[in-house]
Amino acid sequence: MGRRARERRRPQRQERGGGGGSGEQAGWSGGYPEIVKENALFERYYREQAVVPAAEWDAFMAALREPLPATLRITGYKSHAREIRHCLKERFFAELRGLRVDGQEVEMPQPLSWYPEELAWHTNLSRKILRKSPQLEKFHQFLVSETECGNISRQEAVSMIPPLLLNVNPHHKILDMCAAPGSKTAQLIEMLHADMNDPFPKGFVIANDVDNKRCYLLVHQAKRLNSPCIMVVNHDASSIPNLQIDVDGKKEVLFYDRILCDVPCSGDGTMRKNIDVWKKWTTQNSLQLHGLQLRIATRGVEQLAEGGRMVYSTCSLNPIENEAVIAALLEKSQGALELADVSSELPGLKRMPGITKWKVMLKDGQWFEEWKDVPLNRQTQIRPTMFPVKDEEKLKAMNLERCLRILPHHQNTGGFFVAVLIKKSPMPWNKRQPKVHQKLPQRTEDAEVTTTNADDGSEDTAEEPTLVENEESKKMQESQNSDTEQSKKGGVCGPPPSKKMKMFGFKEDPFVFLPEDDPLFEPIQKFYALDPSFPKMNLLTRTQEGKKRQLYMVSKELRNVLLNNSEKMKVINTGIKVWSRNSDGEQFGCAFRLAQEGIYTLYPFIHARIINVCIEDVKILLTQENPFLSKFSSETQKKVKDMAMGSIVLKYDPDPEKPDELQCPIVLCGWQGKTSLRAFVPKNERLHYLRMMGVEVFKAKRKEEESEGKTEEEGQYGAAQTEEGMDVEDKEHDLVTKMEAEIGEESSHSPVESSAMEVENKIEDLGQFSKNSNNHVSQESKDSDTNDVKD
């Protein structure tokens, strides 16, 4: 879409969101007053399916017509999560008590009763109210800044459930099949890093999405958590290739301990926030998506390790997309899968059991109870797997009641469906593994991909489970040609491609691991006195020729994945930046300075150039751009007196005898000059630490300081010494931040044209920006974000 066309569309969208209705109504509902929240077919369909108890029907419909409360989640693995929670409860939430906005009293935020440690909260404040109300300006600034730092995630409540039910441990290998833009992925990363004393947990997350542009949005969301254990890949989830890893010199198939299968869906559980669903809803959406959902789920369980756990979830209430998919999967697994009983997990979460009886409806309202009743001319729209199993004994053995359906009126949430599957044995079509010569994919300019799968890990054999399925699944695939349009609207995951598919999007730079004898590393090791246990083999760059500008680091396990699968997967991004080249650094003994992004991973291995500072020193470092040494405490001045100029680590350790001070450690990257000491910390991270120390930085003052800081910065050291600098990644980050403000926290991944098109247009803007930037193939130029477009 051209620029002029996009500009013509934007005023229309703004008019739609803000016109009509009283100011009070428009403010609290977030707009859309002209959309009537009625749909006779929707009511007829769900009354008949009996997913809602008859006595609760009026309460259910009333809840759907109410705006969805805003929810936020505090990042739980960081040591200062408790400090953020304390700051929210004691400072910001306390100020909301008795506050009235647009004539309505603001309800006090409440913790989600089922989320651990009070790390998730909900409030009736809409995004529009937060942005426009002067009384809430500080609170809004806090939320925006902390979200950009990765300390808070604005995420719908029901969206938090699937990762919790995965029961992730730090050693688990995890696949997130339809991950973008990454709210659930972020939860999974947090769980990997539950032990903050271990910078390299043995587990990892491979986050996949079919949409190339949305993969870059996913990268930025994941990057906020600064983990060396995350990899973002770009594949169709229904045909994602088997990967291999090296185990004691032998190649073996990579099976995942945990898989999150949050599939694209019709999204009728999101009617409270995606109001277009009221007028767009039809049964056709679920009929078109059922086959795609089943194929993605099937591919997921194929790659699940025995004893592993897969969570299947949708933001739909429709049994065609939920129980029907699970029942079909269980039936063709022939006992290899079972539904886990999670009734005792997440105490406090109100849930409805899965249903065992349902019917299929066409968009014209015609019902069918059995496959044999479907006329021939309708058998391309309706498939046998959409109907419940008729054999009562089989149906009982499936335990479909172990599925979870979250209804909006029970705990003031959106609607959601979750099923937890345990793999007991290999899938039946994988038990006899045919020996097939493995065809290595050919490298082409467009990174052509072939989905070659391996069986027992030997290099000359491969299993192709998706090709050994029954004829029914092939017919189903043919009948799902319309999946393409629906999944585009959903913006999450498309239908399976042909076996050879050209991957569109940016041409990726290779991942080049630093050779063991690379002369570049020795001065770094000497300058920072790195511990002998430092895993230097895990260092990589994104360039094969010329000077290495950035050094990144991945965990040993992800290095294994990268080295053994470069030809069969398209990796968008992995690793965290740990060192950046400093143009003048060589004269100070080392050409590379520390990067704040990776400092918490590096710090345990550094034994030199560490300066312990007091809390007053930290305040000076974070509020002044280039303070003179004379401004710091006498202890700090003594420590730096005999230290050579260059990059340093600034460490604050809390004093337990001073409970009024900040009680979590801080590690900052800094630079020692001849007469000054400064911190290289991104703006939002600076604001975060200052808030945690009780220093409130006002908006107007911040603008002044940023302007002064920029002028001073341009005259000193050069762009190479600035953490956030003037790199392409920062310009892209600014664009994405703007997108966040416009799009809001999360849109549905439902096929609703207007909502999805707004997201697509903004993503297109981002894609065009990246194409025009010279550095678009480098890792650091792709870190961009939007808000969650799935639940």
Side-chain angles (χ1 to χ4, degrees):
M1 184 183 293
R3 180 179 175 185
R4 292 180 181 177
R6 287 196 299 273
E7 287 174 350
R8 284 196 299 270
R9 287 177 57 87
R10 284 171 185 147
Q12 295 171 5
R13 291 200 294 270
Q14 292 168 0
E15 183 179 349
R16 184 194 66 186
S22 66
E24 181 177 271
Q25 180 188 11
W28 285 88
S29 65
Y32 302 99
E34 75 277 14
I35 293 180
V36 179
K37 296 176 182 179
E38 299 285 348
N39 189 308
L41 187 66
F42 173 87
E43 293 197 40
R44 179 188 166 201
Y45 182 80
Y46 279 111
R47 274 185 185 273
E48 191 74 21
Q49 298 287 28
V51 299
V52 180
E56 299 179 19
W57 180 259
D58 291 340
F60 167 72
M61 291 302 299
L64 284 181
R65 294 186 175 101
E66 290 296 317
L68 187 68
T71 49
L72 59 91
R73 180 175 57 79
I74 301 169
T75 300
Y77 81 95
K78 294 186 177 179
S79 58
H80 46 251
R82 290 185 182 86
E83 297 288 337
I84 299 172
R85 184 182 62 194
H86 178 78
C87 184
L88 274 172
K89 291 172 68 174
E90 303 302 323
R91 193 182 312 171
F92 293 104
F93 291 166
E95 292 177 2
L96 299 179
R97 198 178 304 278
L99 184 65
R100 298 183 70 85
V101 176
D102 289 347
Q104 295 191 40
E105 186 172 346
V106 174
E107 296 176 10
M108 288 297 293
Q110 298 295 325
L112 299 181
S113 60
W114 45 267
Y115 202 95
E117 299 184 51
E118 288 192 345
L119 291 177
W121 295 71
H122 69 92
T123 170
N124 70 334
L125 292 170
S126 70
R127 299 182 200 96
K128 184 173 182 179
I129 290 291
L130 281 170
R131 286 197 298 265
K132 302 297 182 185
S133 303
Q135 309 101 304
L136 301 172
E137 183 182 7
K138 286 184 184 178
F139 185 34
H140 181 240
Q141 288 176 18
F142 172 83
L143 292 178
V144 170
S145 179
E146 295 298 320
T147 299
E148 290 178 5
C149 287
N151 299 317
I152 282 178
S153 177
R154 291 172 291 172
Q155 181 179 1
E156 190 179 345
V158 289
S159 171
M160 305 174 193
I161 298 171
L164 293 177
L165 290 177
L166 270 178
N167 286 353
V168 170
N169 288 320
H171 66 275
H172 282 152
K173 301 173 182 66
I174 308 165
L175 172 64
D176 191 349
M177 299 188 75
C178 306
S183 291
K184 298 181 188 68
T185 309
Q187 278 181 274
L188 298 174
I189 298 170
E190 291 174 31
M191 294 170 186
L192 281 183
H193 290 274
D195 181 4
M196 281 299 292
N197 295 318
D198 184 4
F200 293 103
K202 292 183 179 179
F204 56 78
V205 177
I206 294 181
N208 173 73
D209 203 84
V210 72
D211 189 303
N212 184 263
K213 293 173 184 175
R214 287 168 53 80
C215 281
Y216 297 111
L217 308 176
L218 169 60
V219 166
H220 185 76
Q221 179 83 316
K223 183 185 174 187
R224 292 171 174 177
L225 281 85
N226 297 334
S227 170
C229 305
I230 170 72
M231 178 188 294
V232 177
V233 299
N234 181 202
H235 290 280
D236 177 356
S238 64
S239 58
I240 189 168
N242 278 2
L243 303 182
Q244 292 183 327
I245 53 175
D246 188 295
V247 180
D248 298 325
K250 180 184 177 183
K251 284 192 176 182
E252 295 185 2
V253 176
L254 171 59
F255 288 101
Y256 300 94
D257 303 300
R258 298 289 186 266
I259 293 180
L260 179 56
C261 186
D262 187 50
V263 296
C265 68
S266 61
D268 57 22
T270 69
M271 298 176 92
R272 299 183 66 179
K273 64 175 182 179
N274 294 310
I275 308 182
D276 278 356
V277 178
W278 283 97
K279 63 179 181 180
K280 302 284 185 181
W281 189 91
T282 169
T283 59
Q284 191 69 15
N285 294 337
S286 60
L287 299 181
Q288 291 177 327
L289 286 165
H290 170 87
L292 172 63
Q293 292 162 340
L294 181 55
R295 292 196 298 278
I296 294 174
T298 300
R299 190 69 188 118
V301 295
E302 286 173 350
Q303 298 200 321
L304 188 64
E306 289 182 44
R309 177 179 281 214
M310 184 177 93
V311 169
Y312 174 91
S313 61
T314 73
C315 55
S316 168
L317 300 173
N318 201 323
I320 308 302
E321 303 175 63
N322 297 328
E323 284 92 347
V325 173
I326 297 301
L329 193 59
L330 288 170
E331 185 170 28
K332 67 183 189 174
S333 79
Q334 298 176 21
L337 300 172
E338 71 172 1
L339 275 169
D341 181 0
V342 293
S343 56
S344 62
E345 299 182 32
L346 302 186
L349 176 65
K350 295 181 182 178
R351 63 199 89 183
M352 293 295 293
I355 61 176
T356 56
K357 302 292 182 185
W358 61 87
K359 298 186 290 187
V360 180
M361 180 199 273
L362 290 173
K363 64 179 179 180
D364 60 6
Q366 185 179 4
W367 286 102
F368 297 98
E369 294 194 23
E370 296 185 57
W371 167 248
K372 64 182 179 62
D373 300 331
V374 180
L376 192 62
N377 66 338
R378 296 294 192 182
Q379 290 185 7
T380 55
Q381 294 174 276
I382 299 176
R383 305 304 302 151
T385 52
M386 296 178 183
F387 294 89
V389 175
K390 290 300 178 184
D391 187 319
E392 290 296 330
E393 191 173 331
K394 273 188 179 180
L395 186 63
K396 185 178 179 181
M398 287 180 178
N399 296 310
L400 289 179
E401 69 280 357
R402 291 181 176 177
C403 299
L404 284 67
R405 184 175 273 102
I406 311 299
L407 298 180
H409 63 290
H410 282 168
Q411 286 179 298
N412 199 12
T413 64
F416 211 70
F417 175 88
V418 185
V420 183
L421 293 156
I422 304 293
K423 187 172 182 179
K424 299 163 64 179
S425 62
M427 302 306 288
W429 55 88
N430 293 152
K431 287 179 180 176
R432 285 185 288 176
Q433 298 161 342
K435 297 280 183 177
V436 180
H437 287 291
Q438 186 173 6
K439 295 180 180 178
L440 292 175
Q442 306 248 338
R443 264 195 178 297
T444 68
E445 201 60 33
D446 293 313
E448 196 170 58
V449 173
T450 59
T451 55
T452 307
N453 303 318
D455 61 342
D456 60 356
S458 56
E459 295 184 47
D460 60 342
T461 61
E463 62 173 311
E464 298 188 60
T466 53
L467 301 181
V468 191
E469 294 178 1
N470 55 35
E471 290 300 316
E472 188 56 57
S473 64
K474 293 183 180 179
K475 291 179 182 177
M476 187 192 310
Q477 185 167 343
E478 292 170 4
S479 70
Q480 298 298 328
N481 291 333
S482 57
D483 285 350
T484 305
E485 187 60 29
Q486 292 299 331
S487 58
K488 279 182 181 176
K489 294 174 184 176
V492 182
C493 195
S498 58
K499 274 294 175 182
K500 291 186 178 181
M501 180 183 74
K502 287 190 176 181
M503 302 299 290
F504 296 99
F506 303 121
K507 182 175 180 287
E508 296 299 323
D509 269 0
F511 292 86
V512 183
F513 283 93
L514 221 60
E516 193 170 359
D517 57 351
D518 195 312
L520 177 146
F521 182 71
E522 188 178 347
I524 295 177
Q525 187 171 31
K526 184 178 178 181
F527 191 73
Y528 297 102
L530 296 178
D531 193 271
S533 66
F534 178 76
K536 63 180 179 182
M537 294 297 291
N538 298 352
L539 290 173
L540 60 88
T541 65
R542 296 298 300 269
T543 179
Q544 285 180 320
E545 299 177 358
K547 273 191 174 182
K548 297 174 177 66
R549 183 169 173 262
Q550 315 281 0
L551 294 182
Y552 303 89
M553 176 165 273
V554 295
S555 66
K556 180 179 71 174
E557 288 73 19
L558 274 188
R559 180 180 188 273
N560 193 342
V561 174
L562 276 169
L563 290 178
N564 287 286
N565 300 278
S566 60
E567 294 293 330
K568 64 167 60 174
M569 65 177 183
K570 182 176 181 184
V571 180
I572 300 298
N573 206 316
T574 190
I576 53 171
K577 181 165 60 179
V578 287
W579 279 291
S580 294
R581 182 177 288 276
N582 176 6
S583 56
D584 299 323
E586 291 181 7
Q587 63 179 302
F588 304 120
C590 182
F592 286 85
R593 63 174 180 82
L594 298 163
Q596 183 66 28
E597 180 182 323
I599 190 59
Y600 284 95
T601 300
L602 273 186
Y603 176 73
F605 300 99
I606 297 175
H607 295 308
R609 305 195 63 75
I610 299 174
I611 299 174
N612 290 93
V613 292
C614 63
I615 196 165
E616 295 304 322
D617 288 340
V618 176
K619 291 177 182 178
I620 292 170
L621 286 163
L622 297 178
T623 55
Q624 300 183 32
E625 282 299 322
N626 199 28
F628 288 109
L629 287 172
S630 57
K631 293 187 176 183
F632 293 94
S633 64
S634 56
E635 291 81 1
T636 298
Q637 292 183 46
K638 288 176 185 175
K639 291 171 187 172
V640 301
K641 183 178 179 183
D642 299 322
M643 191 177 288
M645 292 174 59
S647 185
I648 55 173
V649 178
L650 299 157
K651 175 73 184 300
Y652 163 75
D653 288 308
D655 186 347
E657 295 182 3
K658 297 179 180 178
D660 293 336
E661 292 185 356
L662 184 66
Q663 290 299 304
C664 64
I666 296 177
V667 183
L668 306 175
C669 291
W671 184 272
Q672 181 193 343
K674 284 183 179 179
T675 59
S676 63
L677 195 65
R678 66 180 305 181
F680 283 119
V681 182
K683 178 186 69 177
N684 287 312
E685 206 164 327
R686 284 176 181 249
L687 297 179
H688 160 71
Y689 289 128
L690 288 170
R691 286 195 188 98
M692 294 303 100
M693 292 183 289
V695 179
E696 192 60 58
V697 184
F698 294 100
K699 191 173 183 180
K701 187 178 178 182
R702 281 210 312 271
K703 284 185 176 177
E704 258 179 51
E705 289 178 351
E706 286 165 20
S707 176
E708 291 171 5
K710 185 177 176 184
T711 305
E712 184 180 356
E713 221 166 16
E714 286 170 352
Q716 295 181 19
Y717 301 116
Q721 294 179 354
T722 306
E723 177 67 28
E724 289 290 288
M726 300 301 292
D727 288 345
V728 176
E729 63 177 298
D730 302 308
K731 297 175 185 176
E732 239 179 78
H733 180 274
D734 291 342
L735 175 60
V736 172
T737 303
K738 185 179 179 183
M739 289 167 60
E740 286 182 339
E742 292 176 359
I743 298 175
E745 169 250 339
E746 292 179 286
S747 323
S748 161
H749 59 308
S750 60
V752 178
E753 293 178 10
S754 56
S755 308
M757 282 304 298
E758 288 181 22
V759 176
E760 282 188 11
N761 291 338
K762 295 175 192 301
I763 294 173
E764 184 177 335
D765 290 343
L766 177 60
Q768 190 60 46
F769 174 87
S770 299
K771 287 178 184 177
N772 293 337
S773 62
N774 294 329
N775 230 1
H776 72 272
V777 293
S778 65
Q779 173 170 347
E780 58 270 25
S781 70
K782 291 167 188 158
D783 299 329
S784 50
D785 178 41
T786 191
N787 298 300
D788 204 356
V789 296
K790 299 195 307 178
D791 289 276

